[in-house]
Amino acid sequence: MSGPVLQALPERLADVRGVDLHMHSRASDGALTPGELIELCLARGLTHVALTDHDTLDGVAEADRACRRLGLRLIAAAELSCQWRGIGIHVVALLPEGASAGFTAGLETLHQARERRSREIAHRLEKIGLDDGVARARLEAGSERPLGRPDFAAALVSAGLVPDRKTAFKRYLGAGKRGDVKMHWPELSTVVGWIRESGGVAVIAHPLRYGMTRRKRDLLFSAFIEAGGEAAELISGYQNPDTTFDLARQLAFHGLYGSLGSDFHYPGGALAPGTISPAPASHVKPIWLHPALASFGGEIRETC
């Protein structure tokens, strides 16, 4: 099968096309297998991608095989859960050299935390009539991957307790609701340390989604940089242009590289692979200009 011609990525985020560095598969809470996701990426004209499943690298090998077959370029990655000042933060780990032993041990820590959280969510939802919550959520997940709130939302729908997933979150699983179980995630500095030990690049995921003031984001970025973090997502799916422009000014001020991604989870939703608002002209350097990612964004080759 002929694949796309992979050209060097541009030196400005505003000029980029065909890149999506934040997507999910069935290895975490996405709907498609890693292979199906990569086929969809090809159909949508993407050339450079990252599979960033939550707290796992389990789907990367399958995604890599699909990319090699179809002619796309993939970087191993995961979206890791952590906390800063008691606030849940997600950090994307881009791993050009793969995972170190310390990183793998960290993933196991996160896996155990998710298992404890799942049992607690199930226990709380029993009080509103969801019997055998873990088993029901596992059935909806369709695999042995760590369970998330979307799986419990699907279980509530199938049990007839809510009409749809949106209502499940609104009533029971959203922030502050009965099923919103807070976890004792590792500290931000700890997770960034795992990434750096692996020779990877740490990226703050969707920084506009944490409900922070601009000043508090500045403090987050400063703490992140002190821990060894080097990048943040300038674009995550659809964003207000004025807000994005202001975020670009923040990233430039802190000297952070900029990444971008759709945060795609399932077909039929508002976002699809490559569905990303345009990046403004700015002084923010694209993440692929980081020296560790030179082979990901800088080479030119053809596949046949």
Side-chain angles (χ1 to χ4, degrees):
M1 173 182 293
S2 295
V5 176
L6 298 188
Q7 298 182 339
L9 293 175
E11 296 187 359
R12 300 196 320 157
L13 283 163
D15 297 331
V16 72
R17 300 290 185 275
V19 177
D20 193 331
L21 302 181
H22 191 146
M23 295 182 288
H24 297 274
S25 77
R26 202 177 290 172
S28 64
D29 58 348
L32 303 179
T33 67
E36 291 169 342
L37 173 59
I38 298 306
E39 290 178 354
L40 181 56
C41 289
L42 177 68
R44 292 187 55 79
L46 300 186
T47 57
H48 294 72
V49 298
L51 177 62
T52 59
D53 279 314
H54 291 285
D55 304 324
T56 183
L57 293 168
D58 286 353
V60 170
E62 180 182 339
D64 184 61
R65 290 192 296 271
C67 281
R68 291 177 183 275
R69 175 171 56 87
L70 298 174
L72 279 66
R73 186 169 295 145
L74 176 83
I75 186 166
E79 184 178 7
L80 306 186
S81 306
C82 61
Q83 62 175 328
W84 172 76
R85 295 189 175 185
I87 302 170
I89 303 293
H90 288 177
V91 176
V92 170
L94 298 178
L95 304 170
E97 300 177 16
S100 66
F103 188 93
T104 302
L107 291 182
E108 179 57 29
T109 298
L110 294 172
H111 175 80
Q112 292 175 3
R114 283 189 174 274
E115 287 296 312
R116 291 193 296 272
R117 181 197 192 203
S118 296
R119 291 193 292 271
E120 178 60 24
I121 292 174
H123 174 70
R124 294 187 184 189
L125 293 182
E126 284 178 2
K127 297 178 182 179
I128 57 101
L130 185 68
D131 296 327
D132 299 321
V134 170
R136 285 178 175 271
R138 177 67 62 201
L139 182 64
E140 297 296 332
S143 72
E144 293 302 310
R145 63 164 172 78
L147 297 174
R149 285 181 297 167
D151 302 311
F152 285 98
L156 288 170
V157 174
S158 65
L161 296 172
V162 292
D164 51 49
R165 297 189 186 197
K166 182 178 180 180
T167 304
F169 273 88
K170 184 176 180 179
R171 292 182 183 174
Y172 304 116
L173 294 165
K177 302 300 182 181
R178 182 189 296 271
D180 179 29
V181 177
K182 303 302 181 185
M183 297 182 61
H184 297 293
W185 296 118
E187 290 295 324
L188 174 71
S189 58
T190 299
V191 166
V192 173
W194 298 342
I195 298 169
R196 289 184 62 83
E197 179 186 321
S198 293
V201 181
V203 184
I204 292 184
H206 38 67
L208 296 177
R209 296 190 197 170
Y210 302 119
M212 296 181 182
T213 63
R214 194 181 197 277
R215 172 58 180 158
K216 195 157 190 177
R217 270 200 311 274
D218 274 328
L219 295 175
L220 169 62
F221 290 152
S222 295
F224 180 65
I225 291 167
E226 184 177 356
E230 299 176 90
E233 289 180 350
L234 174 59
I235 308 288
S236 179
Y238 291 123
Q239 290 181 187
N240 177 279
D242 293 336
T243 304
T244 303
F245 180 77
D246 186 57
L247 179 59
R249 292 177 61 191
Q250 271 194 295
L251 299 193
F253 174 81
H254 287 279
L256 290 166
Y257 287 89
S259 187
L260 71 176
S262 63
D263 201 2
F264 170 77
H265 281 76
Y266 56 89
L271 300 173
T275 304
I276 300 168
S277 293
S282 73
H283 295 293
V284 179
K285 292 182 179 180
I287 186 68
W288 49 85
L289 294 186
H290 189 290
L293 304 183
S295 63
F296 175 73
E299 297 178 349
I300 302 175
R301 66 181 174 88
E302 294 189 24
T303 61
C304 298

